[in-house]
Amino acid sequence: MPPETSASAASPAAPPAAPPAAPEDPIRPPHPTAFPFHLIPGLSNFRDIGGWPIVPPSSPSNPSSAPLHVCTGLLYRGSDTNRLTPEGEAELRELGVRKDFDLRSAQQIIKTGGYKEIEGIERIWTPVFSDEEYTEERARERYELYAGEGTDGIVSAFIEILTAGASMFHTVLTTLLSSPPDASGRPPALFMHCTTGNNRTGVFIALLLLLLHVPPQHIVAEYALSEAGLAPTRHVNVERLLTKGAFKEYGINEARKKCERMVGARGESMEALLREVERRWGGPEGYFIGCVGLSGEEIEGVRGVFTVEGSARVG
């Protein structure tokens, strides 16, 4: 069950010293609103994962050349809901979101003051990492992997996410398959989020799109959209990390650079992950069957739910 401890229930720790002031920032960009993004007050990096082209392998049993794309309005991704406003809650309900999958660890939720209950939307706590896997020491090790200049470190972190979070992914997808369809004939919409919505959330969305036969270049493009999605609030996340003491041993300037890389979404990182998925599991089916535990029938069910005819909206 999700952690019930909130900021008011826990004994507050003494706040760490504030980091040195950030350098003068240029005018920050507004939250993107063009599809697949939606403007949800209090949420950053919020977007629809649908609209991307699907190009299944050609075969005698699949001769159709009709264009296909990922269903829109079915699965959304974004940041945590801690700052979500009442107007933002109404927008989520208007989009048809009925379930909110929270991928954060218990310690993260407690340290940010608990979680938000949203009327009409069921919150399902599905942490990627257990308490044992999300100690302060392990978190700092992951920070180093995320913040490296190359791709080896971040791909190692991504693979750990995929293996540690396999049961979470199983829960999300089987919940989707078992949900009664609404008036449109499809299941009610889901929302999946971690803290900033770029790493944990981004990795799982990438593997789902790969399973749906979205071409790799579009998966990379979808992942990289988090650069624009997080740009308006990147400074907030960087200062939060600095306040926690992230990379303090490097000095403030290098620490700031590393924090900025942590809350980015470099296309080359996703390109390297897709290559590693092919090398390690032989493609998405190997991961979803071997790690997530889906059956072949369930995989086809997921594809059936997400695949619709028509020209792509993005890509």
Side-chain angles (χ1 to χ4, degrees):
M1 296 296 292
E4 296 294 337
T5 307
S6 67
S8 59
S11 299
E24 193 71 25
D25 284 323
I27 296 175
R28 298 186 181 99
H31 288 279
T33 56
F35 186 86
F37 287 101
H38 291 268
L39 185 59
I40 307 294
L43 273 185
S44 61
N45 202 22
F46 182 90
R47 61 187 187 268
D48 195 324
I49 71 131
W52 297 93
I54 290 174
V55 185
S58 59
S59 68
S61 63
N62 182 33
S64 175
S65 59
L68 304 171
H69 66 269
V70 180
C71 180
T72 60
L74 183 56
L75 178 57
Y76 297 93
R77 58 176 293 182
S79 64
D80 67 55
T81 59
N82 288 42
R83 297 178 181 82
L84 186 66
T85 68
E87 294 78 13
E89 295 182 25
E91 289 287 343
L92 289 181
R93 289 190 291 269
E94 183 67 22
L95 287 173
V97 174
R98 295 296 176 262
K99 296 182 188 297
D100 166 19
F101 289 90
D102 188 342
L103 277 56
R104 296 174 297 163
S105 297
Q107 293 180 48
Q108 289 181 297
I109 295 170
I110 293 169
K111 288 178 180 178
T112 55
Y115 58 87
K116 180 178 286 291
E117 295 283 4
I118 306 172
E119 183 179 355
I121 299 177
E122 179 187 5
R123 175 183 176 272
I124 303 175
W125 186 51
T126 49
V128 170
F129 297 112
S130 67
D131 288 349
E132 294 75 19
E133 296 170 316
Y134 208 87
T135 62
E136 195 70 29
E137 180 181 357
R138 292 291 292 120
R140 289 184 179 277
E141 290 174 0
R142 292 187 187 103
Y143 284 4
E144 289 287 352
L145 295 175
Y146 289 137
E149 293 187 4
T151 61
D152 289 350
I154 197 166
V155 168
S156 295
F158 285 172
I159 293 298
E160 184 184 19
I161 288 170
L162 287 172
T163 52
S167 63
M168 175 281 299
F169 217 178
H170 186 276
T171 298
V172 172
L173 295 178
T174 54
T175 297
L176 182 76
L177 291 175
S178 63
S179 297
D182 59 18
S184 70
R186 291 190 175 272
L190 310 179
F191 172 41
M192 177 189 287
H193 72 83
C194 47
T195 300
T196 54
N198 62 321
N199 287 323
R200 280 166 292 186
T201 302
V203 166
F204 290 112
I205 295 304
L207 264 289
L208 175 60
L209 295 180
L210 193 63
L211 184 71
L212 299 177
H213 300 305
V214 174
Q217 68 269 26
H218 297 302
I219 297 173
V220 172
E222 199 287 331
Y223 171 73
L225 285 177
S226 286
E227 285 288 340
L230 290 171
T233 57
R234 180 169 286 116
H235 63 291
V236 175
N237 292 307
V238 168
E239 296 308 315
R240 173 180 58 81
L241 289 166
L242 290 173
T243 299
K244 289 172 61 177
F247 312 114
K248 60 183 179 181
E249 66 272 23
Y250 291 93
I252 185 58
N253 292 332
E254 183 62 22
R256 190 176 297 279
K257 289 179 183 178
K258 285 180 173 289
C259 291
E260 288 171 350
R261 284 198 290 270
M262 274 191 66
V263 291
R266 296 173 288 165
E268 59 266 29
S269 299
M270 182 52 62
E271 290 171 351
L273 174 64
L274 297 182
R275 291 193 296 270
E276 180 62 15
V277 167
E278 183 65 33
R279 187 196 70 81
R280 182 177 293 253
W281 290 298
E285 289 86 356
Y287 168 72
F288 279 93
I289 292 173
C291 282
V292 178
L294 293 185
S295 66
E297 182 179 1
E298 287 171 325
I299 286 175
E300 289 310 310
V302 169
R303 286 173 172 154
V305 168
F306 277 101
T307 302
V308 293
E309 290 193 358
S311 298
R313 292 189 61 181
V314 287

